[in-house]
PDB file of all heavy atoms in Angstrom:
ATOM      1  N   ILE W 228    -168.430 -22.036   7.311  1.00 48.00           N
ATOM      2  CA  ILE W 228    -168.814 -22.800   6.140  1.00 48.00           C
ATOM      3  C   ILE W 228    -169.798 -21.958   5.330  1.00 48.00           C
ATOM      4  O   ILE W 228    -170.882 -21.608   5.798  1.00 48.00           O
ATOM      5  CB  ILE W 228    -169.483 -24.155   6.553  1.00 48.00           C
ATOM      6  CG1 ILE W 228    -168.481 -24.987   7.335  1.00 48.00           C
ATOM      7  CG2 ILE W 228    -169.975 -24.868   5.305  1.00 48.00           C
ATOM      8  CD1 ILE W 228    -167.249 -25.413   6.555  1.00 48.00           C
ATOM      9  N   ASP W 229    -169.424 -21.615   4.107  1.00 48.00           N
ATOM     10  CA  ASP W 229    -170.239 -20.729   3.286  1.00 48.00           C
ATOM     11  C   ASP W 229    -171.143 -21.484   2.320  1.00 48.00           C
ATOM     12  O   ASP W 229    -172.121 -20.945   1.842  1.00 48.00           O
ATOM     13  CB  ASP W 229    -169.374 -19.754   2.476  1.00 48.00           C
ATOM     14  CG  ASP W 229    -168.593 -18.832   3.398  1.00 48.00           C
ATOM     15  OD1 ASP W 229    -169.139 -18.437   4.444  1.00 48.00           O
ATOM     16  OD2 ASP W 229    -167.448 -18.500   3.062  1.00 48.00           O
ATOM     17  N   VAL W 230    -170.797 -22.725   1.985  1.00 43.00           N
ATOM     18  CA  VAL W 230    -171.557 -23.466   0.991  1.00 43.00           C
ATOM     19  C   VAL W 230    -172.064 -24.764   1.624  1.00 43.00           C
ATOM     20  O   VAL W 230    -171.256 -25.580   2.091  1.00 43.00           O
ATOM     21  CB  VAL W 230    -170.705 -23.780  -0.253  1.00 43.00           C
ATOM     22  CG1 VAL W 230    -171.520 -24.582  -1.252  1.00 43.00           C
ATOM     23  CG2 VAL W 230    -170.217 -22.496  -0.884  1.00 43.00           C
ATOM     24  N   CYS W 231    -173.360 -24.960   1.623  1.00 49.00           N
ATOM     25  CA  CYS W 231    -173.952 -26.179   2.186  1.00 49.00           C
ATOM     26  C   CYS W 231    -173.714 -27.336   1.232  1.00 49.00           C
ATOM     27  O   CYS W 231    -173.985 -27.225   0.018  1.00 49.00           O
ATOM     28  CB  CYS W 231    -175.439 -25.982   2.419  1.00 49.00           C
ATOM     29  SG  CYS W 231    -176.270 -27.459   2.994  1.00 49.00           S
ATOM     30  N   PRO W 232    -173.230 -28.498   1.715  1.00 44.00           N
ATOM     31  CA  PRO W 232    -173.009 -29.630   0.839  1.00 44.00           C
ATOM     32  C   PRO W 232    -174.310 -30.191   0.260  1.00 44.00           C
ATOM     33  O   PRO W 232    -174.273 -30.973  -0.700  1.00 44.00           O
ATOM     34  CB  PRO W 232    -172.318 -30.686   1.747  1.00 44.00           C
ATOM     35  CG  PRO W 232    -172.721 -30.279   3.117  1.00 44.00           C
ATOM     36  CD  PRO W 232    -172.837 -28.783   3.100  1.00 44.00           C
ATOM     37  N   ALA W 233    -175.443 -29.830   0.860  1.00 45.00           N
ATOM     38  CA  ALA W 233    -176.733 -30.262   0.337  1.00 45.00           C
ATOM     39  C   ALA W 233    -177.344 -29.260  -0.593  1.00 45.00           C
ATOM     40  O   ALA W 233    -178.459 -29.406  -1.058  1.00 45.00           O
ATOM     41  CB  ALA W 233    -177.685 -30.543   1.492  1.00 45.00           C
ATOM     42  N   GLY W 234    -176.616 -28.192  -0.891  1.00 47.00           N
ATOM     43  CA  GLY W 234    -177.156 -27.097  -1.683  1.00 47.00           C
ATOM     44  C   GLY W 234    -177.067 -27.352  -3.186  1.00 47.00           C
ATOM     45  O   GLY W 234    -176.614 -28.406  -3.635  1.00 47.00           O
ATOM     46  N   PRO W 235    -177.528 -26.366  -3.973  1.00 45.00           N
ATOM     47  CA  PRO W 235    -177.493 -26.506  -5.431  1.00 45.00           C
ATOM     48  C   PRO W 235    -176.087 -26.699  -5.963  1.00 45.00           C
ATOM     49  O   PRO W 235    -175.127 -26.157  -5.381  1.00 45.00           O
ATOM     50  CB  PRO W 235    -178.100 -25.166  -5.908  1.00 45.00           C
ATOM     51  CG  PRO W 235    -178.865 -24.646  -4.752  1.00 45.00           C
ATOM     52  CD  PRO W 235    -178.120 -25.097  -3.541  1.00 45.00           C
ATOM     53  N   ARG W 236    -175.961 -27.404  -7.047  1.00 41.00           N
ATOM     54  CA  ARG W 236    -174.649 -27.707  -7.608  1.00 41.00           C
ATOM     55  C   ARG W 236    -173.897 -26.437  -8.010  1.00 41.00           C
ATOM     56  O   ARG W 236    -172.702 -26.308  -7.781  1.00 41.00           O
ATOM     57  CB  ARG W 236    -174.809 -28.621  -8.831  1.00 41.00           C
ATOM     58  CG  ARG W 236    -173.503 -29.068  -9.436  1.00 41.00           C
ATOM     59  CD  ARG W 236    -173.763 -29.881 -10.687  1.00 41.00           C
ATOM     60  NE  ARG W 236    -174.672 -30.967 -10.431  1.00 41.00           N
ATOM     61  CZ  ARG W 236    -175.220 -31.720 -11.385  1.00 41.00           C
ATOM     62  NH1 ARG W 236    -174.936 -31.448 -12.650  1.00 41.00           N
ATOM     63  NH2 ARG W 236    -176.026 -32.699 -11.091  1.00 41.00           N
ATOM     64  N   ASP W 237    -174.630 -25.457  -8.621  1.00 44.00           N
ATOM     65  CA  ASP W 237    -173.936 -24.271  -9.061  1.00 44.00           C
ATOM     66  C   ASP W 237    -173.389 -23.442  -7.922  1.00 44.00           C
ATOM     67  O   ASP W 237    -172.370 -22.789  -8.010  1.00 44.00           O
ATOM     68  CB  ASP W 237    -174.854 -23.399  -9.942  1.00 44.00           C
ATOM     69  CG  ASP W 237    -176.149 -23.048  -9.242  1.00 44.00           C
ATOM     70  OD1 ASP W 237    -176.383 -23.534  -8.116  1.00 44.00           O
ATOM     71  OD2 ASP W 237    -176.929 -22.268  -9.833  1.00 44.00           O
ATOM     72  N   ALA W 238    -174.049 -23.508  -6.739  1.00 40.00           N
ATOM     73  CA  ALA W 238    -173.556 -22.790  -5.568  1.00 40.00           C
ATOM     74  C   ALA W 238    -172.291 -23.417  -5.024  1.00 40.00           C
ATOM     75  O   ALA W 238    -171.366 -22.754  -4.600  1.00 40.00           O
ATOM     76  CB  ALA W 238    -174.649 -22.759  -4.482  1.00 40.00           C
ATOM     77  N   ARG W 239    -172.237 -24.773  -5.098  1.00 39.00           N
ATOM     78  CA  ARG W 239    -171.056 -25.454  -4.592  1.00 39.00           C
ATOM     79  C   ARG W 239    -169.852 -25.227  -5.506  1.00 39.00           C
ATOM     80  O   ARG W 239    -168.694 -25.183  -5.046  1.00 39.00           O
ATOM     81  CB  ARG W 239    -171.315 -26.972  -4.513  1.00 39.00           C
ATOM     82  CG  ARG W 239    -172.382 -27.363  -3.534  1.00 39.00           C
ATOM     83  CD  ARG W 239    -172.308 -28.855  -3.269  1.00 39.00           C
ATOM     84  NE  ARG W 239    -172.333 -29.654  -4.463  1.00 39.00           N
ATOM     85  CZ  ARG W 239    -173.421 -30.165  -5.026  1.00 39.00           C
ATOM     86  NH1 ARG W 239    -174.585 -29.875  -4.515  1.00 39.00           N
ATOM     87  NH2 ARG W 239    -173.340 -30.925  -6.102  1.00 39.00           N
ATOM     88  N   ASP W 240    -170.103 -25.083  -6.803  1.00 41.00           N
ATOM     89  CA  ASP W 240    -169.003 -24.941  -7.756  1.00 41.00           C
ATOM     90  C   ASP W 240    -168.568 -23.529  -7.946  1.00 41.00           C
ATOM     91  O   ASP W 240    -167.567 -23.278  -8.640  1.00 41.00           O
ATOM     92  CB  ASP W 240    -169.470 -25.510  -9.124  1.00 41.00           C
ATOM     93  CG  ASP W 240    -169.701 -26.997  -9.056  1.00 41.00           C
ATOM     94  OD1 ASP W 240    -169.192 -27.627  -8.127  1.00 41.00           O
ATOM     95  OD2 ASP W 240    -170.401 -27.537  -9.952  1.00 41.00           O
TER      96      ASP W 240
END
Side-chain angles (χ1 to χ4, degrees):
I228 299 296
D229 296 325
V230 179
C231 176
R236 184 184 307 170
D237 55 355
R239 296 195 307 269
D240 294 341

